[in-house]
Amino acid sequence: MSAKFTSRSVLQAFKRHVSARANTARQESTDAAGLQGLQVSKLPNGVTVASLDSTTSPVARVVLVANVGPRFEESDQLGITHCLRVSVDQANKSKTAFELTRHLTQIGANLSCTATRENLMYSLDCLKDNLDIGVSCLVSAATQQAFKPWEIQDCQQRIVFEAAVVEQQPEARLTEMLHQVAYRDTLGRSLYAPSHMFGKYSSEMLMEYVNKNFTAERMAVIGLGIGHKQLTRYLKTMSVPGSGSNTAKAAKYSGGEVRHEIGGDTAYAAIVTEGLGATISGSKKSITGSQNKDAVALSVLQCVMGCGPTIKWSNGSAASKIIQAAGQATDQPFATSCINTTYSDSGLFGFYAVAQASQMGQVLKAVLSEFGSVTKNGVADQDVQKAKMQVKACAAMMSENGSNVIQNIAQQLLSEGTVQSQEEFFRLVDSVSKQDVVNVAKKVINGKPSMAAIGNLSTTPHLDELM
């Protein structure tokens, strides 16, 4: 459950825990954690290319990341990135759907597309000996879309199915509701198509979105387990527009409350304020100095408050202030964890909780009181030191997985234009003081709140009854 709300820090130390096959994770465990040997360049067409050839695995991973996620959708395009994501296996301008599937099957490769609110990520896992064919399939699927009407009609059935699955997952719905009330548009756009758009996506609509947004300046290709010269050679024929007319609208945090009553025995709730983004006012300028330190201090504060159990099957009370507070307020089962989600120009910081419907009010009040205590009474030195170790350990362990390494590199390249090494990040964490944590706590926690709640809300207080 906590996987839905783990945060993304400056180096993606707390990026969403996307589960990967255990054997792939072991194969990709390398000295890539410190990003030694990372090479970055630009293709003649303007696409940024980064590679890290440090794995001993026979499998390489190449990911094309496009900064074209749901936050860029217009009001008449809602869910269009959901349609793009599920149409990755369709025919394109150089390969039919059958050819694409056959080529990938013959070389034992996997091609997939995943989405965040800001990016679409086209991922290829392939044996190194067959990378020429694999990268060709990746590039054609991501940049040469054809959007044939009969295939678009077929993929819309998948959209309806995925939306129905999400409808049965309160945690996922809570995430969508929280972003919607916090931002309304931009980062408030859902990862999933709304029901009123089912069956309305056309070839012309999709092509217009791609032509407007899929530009070289908003793309990066990252390879893991492949040499830089080899990767750039495979990409030399990739053709994308150098720039587009679309100017990204800055995310504007609004705040508010949204509730959805669905009955049942449990209630799900999240309360946040605006956190910190990776860049200044949505520009490509990387945050520096005190702002960068504030972002790291916020990750330390998250660990001070508690990110859930660190020992399997334990309740986590020994290491989490908010779990301790909630545990004193109820004797019924519950779960709670601090949220720290970072986007390019904004973020969310707060907590979520799941509890028995009759106990949710007590749990929310207890956790909110713990957050208020930090702004009034500060934090202990020993808590800060422990949290700093947790931040560094999490960053190191997350970066042992190839998926996390690539997402980390892509996030930094597209939002900041540079890649910070793990050593630099660790030095920044070490420089965070107790006062830095208290200062950022006052700055963030005292902001305008947003609340989302779903489930049996018969005793769940409204936001104005809690604040």
Side-chain angles (χ1 to χ4, degrees):
M1 189 175 298
S2 61
K4 301 295 182 183
F5 290 99
T6 45
S7 83
R8 294 178 292 179
S9 70
V10 176
L11 263 179
Q12 298 295 291
F14 295 96
K15 199 168 177 68
R16 293 182 310 166
H17 291 277
V18 181
S19 61
R21 292 186 295 271
N23 60 336
T24 302
R26 287 193 294 269
Q27 289 171 350
E28 292 175 343
S29 181
T30 69
D31 62 355
L35 301 183
Q36 293 91 349
L38 178 68
Q39 297 185 60
V40 181
S41 66
K42 276 188 179 291
L43 296 175
N45 61 14
V47 174
T48 301
V49 179
S51 65
L52 193 61
D53 187 14
S54 58
T55 65
T56 57
S57 168
V59 177
R61 174 169 294 172
V62 181
V63 179
L64 189 153
V65 183
N67 186 216
V68 297
R71 71 167 294 170
F72 301 104
E73 296 172 353
E74 300 293 342
S75 57
D76 59 348
Q77 299 172 325
L78 299 181
I80 198 167
T81 50
H82 187 180
C83 189
L84 286 171
R85 176 171 61 79
V86 301
S87 63
V88 66
D89 60 346
Q90 293 184 353
N92 52 65
K93 295 175 183 177
S94 63
K95 295 177 177 64
T96 66
F98 175 77
E99 286 176 315
L100 183 65
T101 303
R102 184 185 64 183
H103 288 326
L104 291 169
T105 303
Q106 287 177 335
I107 64 175
N110 291 324
L111 177 65
S112 61
C113 183
T114 55
T116 67
R117 296 187 193 280
E118 297 189 295
N119 301 320
L120 280 181
M121 292 171 285
Y122 296 83
S123 304
L124 171 78
D125 293 299
C126 179
L127 291 173
K128 293 180 179 180
D129 293 340
N130 300 317
L131 273 170
D132 54 343
I133 300 174
V135 173
S136 173
C137 292
L138 170 68
V139 171
S140 65
T143 66
Q144 300 175 22
Q145 299 96 330
F147 302 127
K148 296 182 178 180
W150 56 91
E151 291 186 334
I152 296 301
Q153 190 63 36
D154 289 341
C155 85
Q156 298 199 51
Q157 298 176 10
R158 281 185 262 174
I159 293 174
V160 175
F161 172 76
E162 289 189 5
V165 171
V166 171
E167 190 71 15
Q168 303 303 314
Q169 299 174 341
E171 302 97 326
R173 293 177 65 183
L174 183 67
T175 305
E176 300 301 320
M177 292 165 59
L178 184 64
H179 282 80
Q180 182 182 33
V181 73
Y183 295 106
R184 300 179 185 173
D185 55 11
T186 60
L187 293 173
R189 301 296 195 207
S190 176
L191 293 172
Y192 305 96
S195 58
H196 71 269
M197 291 296 292
F198 291 169
K200 295 183 179 179
Y201 302 109
S202 65
S203 301
E204 294 76 17
M205 182 188 299
L206 290 163
M207 193 60 73
E208 178 185 1
Y209 188 83
V210 167
N211 290 337
K212 185 177 181 180
N213 294 283
F214 279 64
T215 58
E217 62 186 7
R218 296 168 64 179
M219 285 187 183
V221 180
I222 299 97
L224 186 62
I226 179 174
H228 198 72
K229 290 183 178 179
Q230 182 183 11
L231 181 58
T232 54
R233 185 172 70 251
Y234 292 152
L235 297 172
K236 65 182 180 181
T237 60
M238 184 171 71
S239 176
V240 292
S243 62
S245 59
N246 189 30
T247 301
K249 181 181 178 181
K252 181 181 178 181
Y253 179 86
S254 300
E257 180 180 8
V258 60
R259 298 162 68 94
H260 192 68
E261 177 70 57
I262 60 173
D265 299 324
T266 55
Y268 303 77
I271 300 176
V272 297
T273 57
E274 185 176 20
L276 299 175
T279 57
I280 302 172
S281 301
S283 70
K284 290 292 184 180
K285 182 180 178 182
S286 173
I287 55 176
T288 58
S290 60
Q291 291 173 302
N292 201 354
K293 197 171 184 179
D294 279 351
V296 178
L298 196 61
S299 288
V300 175
L301 177 61
Q302 181 191 21
C303 287
V304 169
M305 301 310 297
C307 303
T310 56
I311 300 175
K312 193 173 184 178
W313 307 124
S314 71
N315 61 12
S317 60
S320 172
K321 287 184 175 296
I322 59 176
I323 291 180
Q324 291 174 11
Q328 293 173 0
T330 179
D331 57 358
Q332 298 295 312
F334 71 93
T336 186
S337 183
C338 187
I339 303 169
N340 180 23
T341 302
T342 302
Y343 296 103
S344 60
D345 57 350
S346 186
L348 297 176
F349 186 86
F351 71 95
Y352 81 96
V354 183
Q356 294 295 306
S358 61
Q359 303 292 305
M360 180 55 87
Q362 295 95 298
V363 170
L364 292 179
K365 291 176 182 178
V367 175
L368 280 172
S369 177
E370 195 63 35
F371 274 84
S373 176
V374 172
T375 63
K376 296 175 183 177
N377 305 320
V379 293
D381 283 324
Q382 61 182 20
D383 290 336
V384 172
Q385 295 306 315
K386 179 180 65 176
K388 287 162 68 172
M389 291 301 296
Q390 290 176 332
V391 169
K392 292 196 290 184
C394 185
M397 287 186 283
M398 292 285 286
S399 61
E400 288 185 350
N401 180 276
S403 296
N404 297 322
V405 172
I406 287 178
Q407 291 181 51
N408 169 31
I409 294 171
Q411 176 77 11
Q412 293 190 70
L413 285 176
L414 290 174
S415 65
E416 304 175 35
T418 59
V419 180
Q420 184 183 46
S421 71
Q422 192 174 91
E423 289 73 17
E424 291 173 319
F425 177 63
F426 283 1
R427 285 194 293 270
L428 198 54
V429 174
D430 290 334
S431 70
V432 172
S433 67
K434 170 184 171 181
Q435 192 59 46
D436 292 330
V437 176
V438 173
N439 290 342
V440 79
K442 292 179 179 179
K443 181 188 302 184
V444 172
I445 295 176
N446 290 331
K448 186 178 181 180
S450 296
M451 178 178 177
I454 187 171
N456 183 339
L457 307 181
S458 55
T459 64
T460 300
H462 287 265
L463 185 59
D464 61 351
E465 298 174 307
L466 291 167
M467 308 301 291

